[in-house]
Amino acid sequence: MRVTVRLFARLRDIVGAARLTRELPEDATARLLWNTLAEEHAGLVAYRDAVSIAVNAEYSKMNRRLADGDEVAFLPPVSGG
Amino acid sequence: MGVAPFAVTHEPLRVDDLMLAVGGPVEGGRPLVGAVTMFLGLVRGENLGRRVVRLEYESYEPLAVKVFERIAAEVREHWSGSRLALHHRLGALGVGEASVAIAAAAPHRAEAFAACRYAIERVKQIAPIWKKEFFEDGHTWIEGALADPDDRGAREDAYRRACA
């Protein structure tokens, strides 16, 4: 399956892209997707326990099973206001 | 024409829009609204001893609007009869400009003040918005709270601050 990844703030800087697509095995979780990205971009490793996730613009969890066409956003700690 | 109660926008924030969205002073009145409070967060020209020259905000926009709606639902749970409007600015902001504007309407002033305070605490906890601070000699992303809307402790902390 194919998913879209959205990255924000420092995570975007680390990866060098705001949006990318990834091919994943069926039954892949958001955690698997994150681990795949962290293997490619070592700077992400520090965020392992400091990242929130949204799937299709709803907050979700790392154990979420993804589906073809999902938009998965990885969110560093927020600083609005 | 109605004004969107929840929005992220690159345009300067307009206090009048928020007032309209919560039904603040209107001719003929809204019999159950006895108080409206408003909070504006401004770009401060100093942070942790360094001079700040500007901020840049970005957001995951569709989620941000849903989070604002969620905060308003939480506010209604805590203070029945209250209404909220919440706008957050995006893009580059100079010192003194408003980055966030919140209006809370309620039957009485205590509820209106508390609802407004609760809302800004929740924005800081769970709104998918990030700011980058620019100094005279560099810039840095600000990273605050790990956003988890289901974290009951965070929600209780916001409620305590609202009612302090």
Side-chain angles (χ1 to χ4, degrees), chain A residues 34-74:
Chain A
W34 171 262
N35 289 344
T36 306
L37 294 172
E39 279 170 22
E40 298 167 18
H41 304 278
L44 294 180
V45 173
Y47 285 86
R48 197 183 76 109
D49 298 315
V51 69
S52 301
I53 178 191
V55 177
N56 301 329
E58 297 281 358
Y59 275 118
S60 188
K61 304 284 182 197
M62 278 292 191
N63 61 4
R64 163 81 172 248
R65 282 196 189 286
L66 301 177
D68 189 48
D70 276 351
E71 177 175 281
V72 184
F74 291 113

Short mmCIF file of all heavy atoms in Angstrom, two decimals, chain A residues 34-74:
data_model
loop_
_atom_site.label_atom_id
_atom_site.label_comp_id
_atom_site.label_asym_id
_atom_site.label_seq_id
_atom_site.Cartn_x
_atom_site.Cartn_y
_atom_site.Cartn_z
N TRP A 34 7.23 5.04 10.99
CA TRP A 34 8.16 5.92 11.71
C TRP A 34 9.55 5.31 11.74
O TRP A 34 10.55 6.00 11.47
CB TRP A 34 7.65 6.16 13.13
CG TRP A 34 8.66 6.86 13.99
CD1 TRP A 34 9.51 6.28 14.88
CD2 TRP A 34 8.97 8.26 14.00
NE1 TRP A 34 10.33 7.22 15.45
CE2 TRP A 34 10.01 8.45 14.93
CE3 TRP A 34 8.46 9.36 13.30
CZ2 TRP A 34 10.55 9.71 15.19
CZ3 TRP A 34 9.01 10.62 13.57
CH2 TRP A 34 10.04 10.79 14.49
N ASN A 35 9.62 4.01 12.07
CA ASN A 35 10.93 3.35 12.14
C ASN A 35 11.64 3.38 10.79
O ASN A 35 12.87 3.56 10.72
CB ASN A 35 10.77 1.90 12.63
CG ASN A 35 10.38 1.84 14.10
OD1 ASN A 35 10.52 2.84 14.82
ND2 ASN A 35 9.87 0.71 14.53
N THR A 36 10.88 3.21 9.73
CA THR A 36 11.47 3.27 8.38
C THR A 36 12.10 4.64 8.13
O THR A 36 13.23 4.74 7.65
CB THR A 36 10.37 3.01 7.33
OG1 THR A 36 9.73 1.78 7.64
CG2 THR A 36 10.94 2.94 5.93
N LEU A 37 11.37 5.67 8.52
CA LEU A 37 11.89 7.03 8.31
C LEU A 37 13.10 7.29 9.19
O LEU A 37 14.06 7.94 8.78
CB LEU A 37 10.79 8.07 8.60
CG LEU A 37 9.60 8.06 7.64
CD1 LEU A 37 8.50 8.99 8.15
CD2 LEU A 37 10.03 8.49 6.24
N ALA A 38 13.03 6.79 10.45
CA ALA A 38 14.13 7.03 11.40
C ALA A 38 15.40 6.32 10.95
O ALA A 38 16.50 6.77 11.27
CB ALA A 38 13.72 6.60 12.80
N GLU A 39 15.26 5.22 10.23
CA GLU A 39 16.45 4.54 9.69
C GLU A 39 17.11 5.39 8.60
O GLU A 39 18.32 5.38 8.45
CB GLU A 39 16.08 3.17 9.12
CG GLU A 39 15.96 2.10 10.19
CD GLU A 39 15.35 0.81 9.64
OE1 GLU A 39 15.41 0.59 8.42
OE2 GLU A 39 14.81 0.04 10.46
N GLU A 40 16.27 6.11 7.86
CA GLU A 40 16.82 6.95 6.78
C GLU A 40 17.34 8.29 7.30
O GLU A 40 18.19 8.90 6.67
CB GLU A 40 15.72 7.20 5.74
CG GLU A 40 15.21 5.95 5.07
CD GLU A 40 13.92 6.22 4.28
OE1 GLU A 40 13.64 7.39 3.98
OE2 GLU A 40 13.20 5.25 3.99
N HIS A 41 16.77 8.76 8.42
CA HIS A 41 17.10 10.10 8.92
C HIS A 41 17.39 9.99 10.42
O HIS A 41 16.47 10.02 11.25
CB HIS A 41 15.95 11.07 8.68
CG HIS A 41 15.55 11.15 7.24
ND1 HIS A 41 16.22 11.93 6.34
CD2 HIS A 41 14.58 10.51 6.55
CE1 HIS A 41 15.68 11.78 5.14
NE2 HIS A 41 14.68 10.93 5.24
N ALA A 42 18.68 9.88 10.75
CA ALA A 42 19.07 9.60 12.14
C ALA A 42 18.57 10.68 13.11
O ALA A 42 18.32 10.40 14.28
CB ALA A 42 20.59 9.48 12.22
N GLY A 43 18.40 11.89 12.59
CA GLY A 43 17.93 12.97 13.47
C GLY A 43 16.55 12.72 14.06
O GLY A 43 16.18 13.33 15.07
N LEU A 44 15.79 11.83 13.45
CA LEU A 44 14.45 11.53 13.97
C LEU A 44 14.50 10.68 15.24
O LEU A 44 13.54 10.68 16.02
CB LEU A 44 13.61 10.81 12.91
CG LEU A 44 13.26 11.60 11.65
CD1 LEU A 44 12.43 10.72 10.71
CD2 LEU A 44 12.47 12.87 12.00
N VAL A 45 15.59 9.95 15.42
CA VAL A 45 15.64 8.98 16.52
C VAL A 45 15.37 9.65 17.87
O VAL A 45 14.68 9.11 18.73
CB VAL A 45 17.00 8.24 16.52
CG1 VAL A 45 17.13 7.36 17.75
CG2 VAL A 45 17.13 7.40 15.24
N ALA A 46 15.89 10.87 18.04
CA ALA A 46 15.70 11.59 19.31
C ALA A 46 14.23 11.86 19.60
O ALA A 46 13.86 12.13 20.74
CB ALA A 46 16.48 12.90 19.27
N TYR A 47 13.38 11.78 18.58
CA TYR A 47 11.95 12.08 18.76
C TYR A 47 11.10 10.84 19.01
O TYR A 47 9.88 10.93 19.07
CB TYR A 47 11.42 12.83 17.53
CG TYR A 47 11.86 14.26 17.49
CD1 TYR A 47 13.07 14.62 16.93
CD2 TYR A 47 11.05 15.26 18.04
CE1 TYR A 47 13.49 15.94 16.91
CE2 TYR A 47 11.47 16.58 18.03
CZ TYR A 47 12.68 16.91 17.46
OH TYR A 47 13.09 18.21 17.46
N ARG A 48 11.76 9.69 19.18
CA ARG A 48 11.02 8.43 19.30
C ARG A 48 9.89 8.54 20.32
O ARG A 48 8.77 8.08 20.09
CB ARG A 48 11.97 7.29 19.69
CG ARG A 48 11.39 5.92 19.45
CD ARG A 48 12.37 4.87 19.93
NE ARG A 48 12.32 4.79 21.38
CZ ARG A 48 11.79 3.75 22.03
NH1 ARG A 48 11.32 2.72 21.37
NH2 ARG A 48 11.77 3.74 23.34
N ASP A 49 10.19 9.13 21.49
CA ASP A 49 9.17 9.25 22.53
C ASP A 49 8.63 10.67 22.62
O ASP A 49 8.03 11.05 23.63
CB ASP A 49 9.76 8.82 23.88
CG ASP A 49 10.19 7.36 23.85
OD1 ASP A 49 9.42 6.53 23.34
OD2 ASP A 49 11.31 7.06 24.34
N ALA A 50 8.87 11.47 21.61
CA ALA A 50 8.43 12.87 21.65
C ALA A 50 7.75 13.23 20.33
O ALA A 50 7.92 14.33 19.81
CB ALA A 50 9.61 13.79 21.93
N VAL A 51 6.99 12.30 19.80
CA VAL A 51 6.28 12.56 18.56
C VAL A 51 4.83 12.13 18.72
O VAL A 51 4.53 11.09 19.32
CB VAL A 51 6.97 11.84 17.38
CG1 VAL A 51 6.83 10.34 17.47
CG2 VAL A 51 6.42 12.33 16.04
N SER A 52 3.93 12.98 18.24
CA SER A 52 2.51 12.60 18.19
C SER A 52 2.19 12.26 16.75
O SER A 52 2.92 12.62 15.83
CB SER A 52 1.62 13.75 18.65
OG SER A 52 1.93 14.12 19.97
N ILE A 53 1.09 11.59 16.56
CA ILE A 53 0.75 11.12 15.23
C ILE A 53 -0.71 11.41 14.93
O ILE A 53 -1.57 11.33 15.81
CB ILE A 53 1.05 9.61 15.11
CG1 ILE A 53 0.66 9.13 13.74
CG2 ILE A 53 0.41 8.81 16.16
CD1 ILE A 53 0.66 7.66 13.61
N ALA A 54 -0.97 11.75 13.67
CA ALA A 54 -2.35 11.90 13.22
C ALA A 54 -2.50 11.12 11.92
O ALA A 54 -1.58 11.10 11.08
CB ALA A 54 -2.68 13.37 12.98
N VAL A 55 -3.62 10.45 11.78
CA VAL A 55 -3.93 9.73 10.53
C VAL A 55 -5.19 10.36 9.95
O VAL A 55 -6.21 10.47 10.63
CB VAL A 55 -4.13 8.23 10.79
CG1 VAL A 55 -4.53 7.51 9.50
CG2 VAL A 55 -2.86 7.61 11.36
N ASN A 56 -5.06 10.81 8.71
CA ASN A 56 -6.17 11.47 8.02
C ASN A 56 -6.74 12.62 8.87
O ASN A 56 -7.95 12.77 9.04
CB ASN A 56 -7.25 10.47 7.65
CG ASN A 56 -6.70 9.38 6.74
OD1 ASN A 56 -5.77 9.63 5.97
ND2 ASN A 56 -7.23 8.18 6.86
N ALA A 57 -5.82 13.41 9.43
CA ALA A 57 -6.17 14.61 10.19
C ALA A 57 -7.01 14.31 11.43
O ALA A 57 -7.88 15.10 11.80
CB ALA A 57 -6.83 15.66 9.32
N GLU A 58 -6.73 13.16 12.07
CA GLU A 58 -7.28 12.87 13.40
C GLU A 58 -6.13 12.31 14.24
O GLU A 58 -5.38 11.45 13.76
CB GLU A 58 -8.39 11.79 13.33
CG GLU A 58 -9.61 12.16 12.53
CD GLU A 58 -10.57 13.06 13.28
OE1 GLU A 58 -10.30 13.37 14.47
OE2 GLU A 58 -11.58 13.46 12.68
N TYR A 59 -6.04 12.77 15.50
CA TYR A 59 -5.00 12.21 16.36
C TYR A 59 -5.17 10.71 16.45
O TYR A 59 -6.29 10.19 16.49
CB TYR A 59 -5.08 12.81 17.76
CG TYR A 59 -4.34 14.12 17.89
CD1 TYR A 59 -5.02 15.29 18.22
CD2 TYR A 59 -2.97 14.19 17.71
CE1 TYR A 59 -4.35 16.50 18.36
CE2 TYR A 59 -2.28 15.39 17.84
CZ TYR A 59 -2.97 16.54 18.17
OH TYR A 59 -2.30 17.72 18.29
N SER A 60 -4.04 9.99 16.48
CA SER A 60 -4.08 8.54 16.54
C SER A 60 -2.90 8.04 17.37
O SER A 60 -2.24 8.83 18.05
CB SER A 60 -4.06 7.97 15.12
OG SER A 60 -4.29 6.58 15.14
N LYS A 61 -2.66 6.75 17.32
CA LYS A 61 -1.57 6.14 18.11
C LYS A 61 -0.62 5.41 17.18
O LYS A 61 -0.99 5.02 16.07
CB LYS A 61 -2.15 5.14 19.12
CG LYS A 61 -3.19 5.72 20.05
CD LYS A 61 -2.56 6.56 21.14
CE LYS A 61 -3.64 7.08 22.10
NZ LYS A 61 -3.17 8.20 22.92
N MET A 62 0.59 5.17 17.69
CA MET A 62 1.62 4.53 16.88
C MET A 62 1.26 3.10 16.47
O MET A 62 1.80 2.58 15.50
CB MET A 62 2.95 4.53 17.63
CG MET A 62 3.70 5.83 17.51
SD MET A 62 4.28 6.11 15.82
CE MET A 62 5.38 7.50 16.08
N ASN A 63 0.39 2.45 17.25
CA ASN A 63 0.02 1.07 16.89
C ASN A 63 -1.12 1.03 15.86
O ASN A 63 -1.61 -0.05 15.53
CB ASN A 63 -0.34 0.26 18.13
CG ASN A 63 -1.52 0.84 18.88
OD1 ASN A 63 -2.13 1.81 18.43
ND2 ASN A 63 -1.84 0.26 20.03
N ARG A 64 -1.51 2.19 15.36
CA ARG A 64 -2.58 2.25 14.37
C ARG A 64 -2.18 1.50 13.10
O ARG A 64 -1.10 1.74 12.54
CB ARG A 64 -2.87 3.74 14.05
CG ARG A 64 -3.63 4.01 12.78
CD ARG A 64 -5.12 3.82 12.95
NE ARG A 64 -5.81 4.30 11.76
CZ ARG A 64 -6.59 5.37 11.75
NH1 ARG A 64 -6.81 6.07 12.83
NH2 ARG A 64 -7.18 5.73 10.63
N ARG A 65 -3.06 0.61 12.63
CA ARG A 65 -2.83 -0.06 11.35
C ARG A 65 -3.20 0.89 10.22
O ARG A 65 -4.28 1.48 10.24
CB ARG A 65 -3.67 -1.33 11.26
CG ARG A 65 -3.08 -2.45 12.05
CD ARG A 65 -3.68 -3.81 11.66
NE ARG A 65 -3.24 -4.84 12.59
CZ ARG A 65 -1.99 -5.33 12.60
NH1 ARG A 65 -1.10 -4.95 11.71
NH2 ARG A 65 -1.65 -6.23 13.50
N LEU A 66 -2.32 1.01 9.27
CA LEU A 66 -2.53 1.96 8.18
C LEU A 66 -3.25 1.29 7.02
O LEU A 66 -3.22 0.06 6.89
CB LEU A 66 -1.19 2.53 7.73
CG LEU A 66 -0.41 3.24 8.84
CD1 LEU A 66 0.94 3.71 8.32
CD2 LEU A 66 -1.21 4.42 9.41
N ALA A 67 -3.87 2.12 6.21
CA ALA A 67 -4.57 1.63 5.01
C ALA A 67 -4.06 2.40 3.79
O ALA A 67 -3.54 3.52 3.92
CB ALA A 67 -6.07 1.82 5.17
N ASP A 68 -4.21 1.78 2.65
CA ASP A 68 -3.78 2.41 1.40
C ASP A 68 -4.41 3.80 1.28
O ASP A 68 -5.61 3.96 1.51
CB ASP A 68 -4.21 1.53 0.22
CG ASP A 68 -3.61 2.04 -1.08
OD1 ASP A 68 -2.40 2.30 -1.10
OD2 ASP A 68 -4.37 2.17 -2.06
N GLY A 69 -3.59 4.79 0.95
CA GLY A 69 -4.11 6.13 0.75
C GLY A 69 -4.14 6.98 2.01
O GLY A 69 -4.48 8.18 1.94
N ASP A 70 -3.78 6.41 3.16
CA ASP A 70 -3.78 7.20 4.41
C ASP A 70 -2.80 8.36 4.32
O ASP A 70 -1.73 8.24 3.70
CB ASP A 70 -3.42 6.33 5.61
CG ASP A 70 -4.61 5.56 6.16
OD1 ASP A 70 -5.75 5.83 5.73
OD2 ASP A 70 -4.38 4.69 7.03
N GLU A 71 -3.16 9.44 5.00
CA GLU A 71 -2.21 10.54 5.22
C GLU A 71 -1.77 10.47 6.68
O GLU A 71 -2.59 10.60 7.59
CB GLU A 71 -2.86 11.90 4.94
CG GLU A 71 -1.90 13.05 5.24
CD GLU A 71 -2.47 14.41 4.85
OE1 GLU A 71 -2.45 14.74 3.65
OE2 GLU A 71 -2.95 15.13 5.75
N VAL A 72 -0.48 10.24 6.88
CA VAL A 72 0.06 10.06 8.23
C VAL A 72 0.93 11.26 8.57
O VAL A 72 1.91 11.54 7.88
CB VAL A 72 0.90 8.77 8.32
CG1 VAL A 72 1.36 8.55 9.75
CG2 VAL A 72 0.09 7.57 7.82
N ALA A 73 0.57 11.98 9.63
CA ALA A 73 1.34 13.17 10.03
C ALA A 73 2.10 12.86 11.30
O ALA A 73 1.53 12.31 12.26
CB ALA A 73 0.39 14.35 10.26
N PHE A 74 3.38 13.20 11.31
CA PHE A 74 4.20 13.08 12.52
C PHE A 74 4.41 14.48 13.07
O PHE A 74 4.87 15.38 12.37
CB PHE A 74 5.51 12.39 12.20
CG PHE A 74 5.33 10.94 11.85
CD1 PHE A 74 5.59 10.49 10.57
CD2 PHE A 74 4.87 10.03 12.80
CE1 PHE A 74 5.41 9.14 10.24
CE2 PHE A 74 4.69 8.69 12.48
CZ PHE A 74 4.95 8.24 11.19
#
